Amino acid sequence: MTLRLATLSLLVLYPIAWFAPLMRAGLLPIFGLSEISVITGLQSLWASDVALALIVTAFALFAPYLKTIGTALIQWNLLDPRAQPALHVLGKLAMADIFLIALYITLAKGISYATIEVAWGLYLFTGCILASIALGLLTERQRQKAP
């Protein structure tokens, strides 16, 4: 039951993480810093590059959420456990956005006039992704042990 509740809690935590500030960025500290979240980042992408926005939306929003829904359905015996390999693929796709965020922070810090501060939302979002992977693995182990 604990595993099920932890998985269901991710369905609430993901949307919070999407709107939480991932980082604060600005040209110089004296001009103030703008908060950037997954949603504000996607809004900027949709305005400038629709193709990239579609890819990032799929990796940052849909892949982790669908994986979590699939894991919950398996835990509640509403989805065949043979779907587990597909859920693993979704989990790996969801980790791609964490890599991209880390890459952007690294690149921005290399620019001498830019200021980047990591915010609490980045840790929450990363934690959600990692928890989803762990819960998927635990669900698979639990299914293998069941008679």
Side-chain angles (χ1 to χ4, degrees):
M1 189 60 154
T2 305
L3 195 59
R4 290 177 177 179
L5 291 175
T7 303
L8 292 177
S9 71
L10 283 178
L11 296 176
V12 174
L13 290 173
Y14 269 124
I16 293 170
W18 295 334
F19 289 94
L22 298 175
M23 64 185 98
R24 292 174 193 84
L27 235 69
L28 293 171
I30 57 174
F31 293 122
L33 301 174
S34 300
E35 287 190 342
I36 299 169
S37 68
V38 172
I39 298 300
T40 59
L42 285 173
Q43 287 172 337
S44 296
L45 274 178
W46 280 103
S48 62
D49 189 343
V50 175
L52 183 59
L54 282 169
I55 293 167
V56 173
T57 299
F59 289 162
L61 301 182
F62 297 134
Y65 211 70
L66 289 174
K67 180 187 183 290
T68 304
I69 290 170
T71 301
L73 290 174
I74 288 173
Q75 290 170 348
W76 292 91
N77 298 318
L78 297 172
L79 182 64
D80 192 329
R82 292 179 290 180
Q84 197 76 35
L87 297 177
H88 282 301
V89 171
L90 282 174
K92 289 179 183 187
L93 290 175
M95 282 304 290
D97 56 313
I98 299 298
F99 170 74
L100 289 175
I101 291 168
L103 181 64
Y104 293 146
I105 291 172
T106 303
L107 290 174
K109 283 190 173 195
I111 301 170
S112 60
Y113 298 109
T115 300
I116 301 284
E117 294 177 2
V118 174
W120 64 274
L122 182 62
Y123 299 110
L124 176 61
F125 190 55
T126 304
C128 286
I129 297 289
L130 295 175
S132 177
I133 290 170
L135 290 168
L137 291 172
L138 290 171
T139 299
E140 187 175 351
R141 279 192 192 154
Q142 188 178 42
R143 285 279 169 204
Q144 290 173 352
K145 289 181 183 178

